[in-house]
């Protein structure tokens, strides 16, 4: 990997080479035909669990910190670790609307995926999300520098809608959210965003906002998500669904908890 494309923390030596500690999924077969390097993990699974790490300083000060996520399989074995790179002033003043780059590394600390959301002023209105740059959008690269997909907010009145697109911006999946988006101590059920085929005729999977417990949900901004999809789904589409989940997290749940605070 070109050093100039590495995140600053890796260039400066903060993230040292070698296997990262933790309960990691065994290394899969590498160099699988048709699978971008680093996405071989995704070829073997039909479910991903994403756990956002709790930032104690953020809890104590209400200052937005850089997000970090553990990405695991259904057995709880970690397959990736993701960490945010963003500007301090964006986190303080723009908060959930900020632009950012999410670096996704494997257990050998190699960056295998990059999720990018550029900052767009005044984006996010559900009424006009189809017009120009009014809708939130996120870009998925695997390996970094090679776009494999996009996720974009589309126009809706009540239930959140998103399109998942390939590298040519052709819609490959559609996301349909529920009416009720909140979880409370009295309502702890998962909130499902259904993944559908482009013509909306078939349910393909779902992205679920999971109840994380009283402390996590009521005191922190750290969220838990689950993503299910067919095991034989193209790994690029699976990677794009991970990016879509990140977009949903910022678009709805980061905003909800900032408003609560």
């Amino acid at each position: 990997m070109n050093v100039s494309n590495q995140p600053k923390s890796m260039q400066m030596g903060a993230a040292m080479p070698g296997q990262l500690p933790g309960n990691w999924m065994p290394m899969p077969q590498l160099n699988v035909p048709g699978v971008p390097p680093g996405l071989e993990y995704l070829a073997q699974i039909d479910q991903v669990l994403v756990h956002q790490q709790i930032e104690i300083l953020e809890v104590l000060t209400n200052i937005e910190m850089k997000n970090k996520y553990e990405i695991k399989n259904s057995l709880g074995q970690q397959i990736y670790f993701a960490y945010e790179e963003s500007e301090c002033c964006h986190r303080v003043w723009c908060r959930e609307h900020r632009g950012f780059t999410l670096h996704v590394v494997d257990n050998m600390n190699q960056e295998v995926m990059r999720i990018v959301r550029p900052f767009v002023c005044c984006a996010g209105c559900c009424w006009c999300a189809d017009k120009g740059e009014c809708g939130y959008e996120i870009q998925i690269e695997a390996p970094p520098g090679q776009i494999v997909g996009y996720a974009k907010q589309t126009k809706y009145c009540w239930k959140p809608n998103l399109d998942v697109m390939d590298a040519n911006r052709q819609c490959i999946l559609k996301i349909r959210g529920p009416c009720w988006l909140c979880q409370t101590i009295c309502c702890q059920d998962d909130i499902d965003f259904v993944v559908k085929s482009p013509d909306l005729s078939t349910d393909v999977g779902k992205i679920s906002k999971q109840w994380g417990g009283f402390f996590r949900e009521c005191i922190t901004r750290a969220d838990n998500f689950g993503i299910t999809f067919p095991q034989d789904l193209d790994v690029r589409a699976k990677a794009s669904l991970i990016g879509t989940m990140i977009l949903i997290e910022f678009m709805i749940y980061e905003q909800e908890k900032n408003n609560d605070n």
Side-chain angles (χ1 to χ4, degrees):
M1 183 169 59
N2 192 318
V3 174
S4 64
N5 291 331
Q6 291 180 337
K8 293 178 181 178
S9 60
M10 297 177 73
Q11 293 181 33
M12 292 164 56
M16 299 301 293
Q19 189 169 20
L20 297 174
N23 179 27
W24 286 81
M25 179 178 172
M27 181 76 72
Q29 176 188 349
L30 301 179
N31 302 319
V32 178
V35 177
L39 298 191
E40 294 90 353
Y41 290 97
L42 296 180
Q44 301 181 358
I45 59 178
D46 60 3
Q47 184 179 25
V48 167
L49 305 175
V50 182
H51 297 160
Q52 183 179 351
Q53 290 190 344
I54 295 174
E55 297 287 348
I56 298 300
L57 185 60
E58 184 173 284
V59 175
L60 296 176
T61 64
N62 196 31
I63 297 174
E64 192 77 39
M65 307 299 292
K66 296 179 182 179
N67 288 358
K68 301 181 183 70
Y69 304 88
E70 296 174 350
I71 303 173
K72 304 179 180 182
N73 62 18
S74 59
L75 300 177
Q77 297 172 318
Q78 192 163 330
I79 55 176
Y80 299 120
F81 179 77
Y83 60 96
E84 175 187 346
E85 180 181 356
S86 59
E87 298 294 333
C88 179
C89 61
H90 269 206
R91 294 195 306 276
V92 171
W93 299 110
C94 303
R95 299 175 76 86
E96 72 275 1
H97 304 290
R98 66 188 182 269
F100 62 84
T101 297
L102 200 69
H103 302 282
V104 183
V105 299
D106 63 11
N107 66 345
M108 296 303 293
N109 208 12
Q110 297 298 310
E111 187 179 16
V112 298
M113 194 188 320
R114 189 174 292 172
I115 300 171
V116 181
R117 187 179 81 166
F119 173 73
V120 178
C121 184
C122 301
C125 176
C126 62
W127 299 94
C128 57
D130 287 339
K131 298 179 181 179
E133 296 183 337
C134 291
Y136 286 128
E137 182 175 281
I138 207 161
Q139 175 180 298
I140 301 92
E141 304 173 6
Q146 183 171 328
I147 298 172
V148 296
Y150 300 89
K152 190 179 190 305
Q153 176 192 21
T154 59
K155 183 179 179 180
Y156 60 91
C157 295
W158 187 252
K159 299 180 181 179
N161 294 338
L162 301 98
D163 282 352
V164 183
M165 300 172 286
D166 63 15
N168 298 315
R169 292 189 176 275
Q170 297 299 308
C171 182
I172 57 173
L173 297 167
K174 287 185 177 289
I175 310 294
R176 292 296 180 263
C179 291
W180 184 254
L181 298 171
C182 300
Q183 290 173 319
T184 68
I185 193 66
C186 300
C187 183
Q188 302 176 11
D189 294 337
D190 289 354
I191 300 171
D192 294 334
F193 296 78
V194 182
V195 181
K196 291 180 171 287
S197 58
D199 61 2
L200 300 176
S201 63
T202 306
D203 289 358
V204 177
K206 62 183 179 180
I207 298 173
S208 300
K209 166 67 174 63
Q210 301 172 335
W211 173 255
F214 176 81
F215 176 79
R216 178 180 286 269
E217 296 295 335
C218 299
I219 307 300
T220 79
R221 299 192 188 102
D223 294 313
N224 288 339
F225 284 85
I227 310 172
T228 58
F229 37 67
Q231 185 168 339
D232 60 356
L233 185 68
D234 186 274
V235 292
R236 297 170 184 82
K238 293 180 181 181
S240 295
L241 285 175
I242 294 175
T244 306
M245 181 240 98
I246 296 296
L247 181 58
I248 290 172
E249 204 266 324
F250 272 84
M251 191 173 83
I252 298 172
Y253 295 102
E254 287 271 323
Q255 177 173 334
E256 177 184 289
K257 291 185 177 181
N258 282 334
N259 290 342
D260 289 344
N261 288 332

